[in-house]
Amino acid sequence: MTELLRLYGQIALLRKGPADVPAVGLALLLTIIAYFAVNVLMVLLLPLLTGPWLRALLLDVVFTVAWYWVLLRLTWHGTRFVQTTAAVLGYRAVLTPLSLASEWLVRRFGEDQTWQLPVSVMYIVVMAWMVIASRRVLRAAWCTPAAGW
């Protein structure tokens, strides 16, 4: 599991891609569990969300898995589902502490004139970083020759 976390850190830093993720269902399952655990831990540490956050988290995981399954099947890259989905959930698990912490800071200090700009910029940078990582993973899944990674 440590190796997977290290790999997802490299994916989040844009140094590796989904082709480096083991193409086994166990890697995807462990990644889903890790993503879920990191999110639950962050919600408990930073009381950020109100309402049915657990249901929202479950929906997030189910939607992400379903979305990439459909997306890759429709684009004739279904064989890359396990690696791509694991890579997406993996880098998101690594970046979740940053994204939720920056969201918490925006909610906590967003109205304070002193902190409004720095926390807003931090939030935008983290969100942009996540979009860039997602684009890189999807581009690797789609643009690599179909014969292999």
Side-chain angles (χ1 to χ4, degrees):
M1 189 67 188
T2 305
E3 286 300 314
L4 272 179
L5 288 175
R6 196 170 291 131
L7 172 61
Y8 295 144
Q10 294 295 312
I11 292 171
L13 292 172
L14 311 176
R15 294 183 181 152
K16 296 211 176 199
D20 299 304
V21 177
V24 293
L26 182 60
L28 178 58
L29 178 64
L30 290 173
T31 303
I32 289 170
I33 292 168
Y35 177 74
F36 192 82
V38 166
N39 276 276
V40 168
L41 181 64
M42 289 304 297
V43 167
L44 295 175
L45 290 176
L46 299 173
L48 177 69
L49 302 173
T50 58
W53 63 266
L54 187 57
R55 186 175 6 169
L57 178 57
L58 287 170
L59 186 61
D60 175 38
V61 171
V62 169
F63 178 80
T64 300
V65 170
W67 172 253
Y68 284 100
W69 186 82
V70 168
L71 189 64
L72 292 169
R73 292 277 179 222
L74 289 176
T75 58
W76 299 284
H77 291 93
T79 57
R80 299 177 181 179
F81 165 73
V82 170
Q83 290 172 292
T84 302
T85 307
V88 168
L89 289 171
Y91 86 76
R92 284 174 52 188
V94 169
L95 294 179
T96 288
L98 272 176
S99 68
L100 290 181
S102 64
E103 185 177 343
W104 181 82
L105 286 170
V106 165
R107 289 184 183 193
R108 177 91 160 82
F109 298 108
E111 299 301 319
D112 184 344
Q113 293 293 325
T114 306
W115 293 104
Q116 187 175 29
L117 182 62
V119 297
S120 296
V121 168
M122 182 177 119
Y123 180 75
I124 291 168
V125 166
V126 171
M127 291 302 113
W129 186 0
M130 292 184 81
V131 168
I132 290 167
S134 182
R135 178 190 172 274
R136 182 175 161 89
V137 168
L138 275 176
R139 186 171 185 197
W142 285 339
C143 296
T144 309
W149 289 91

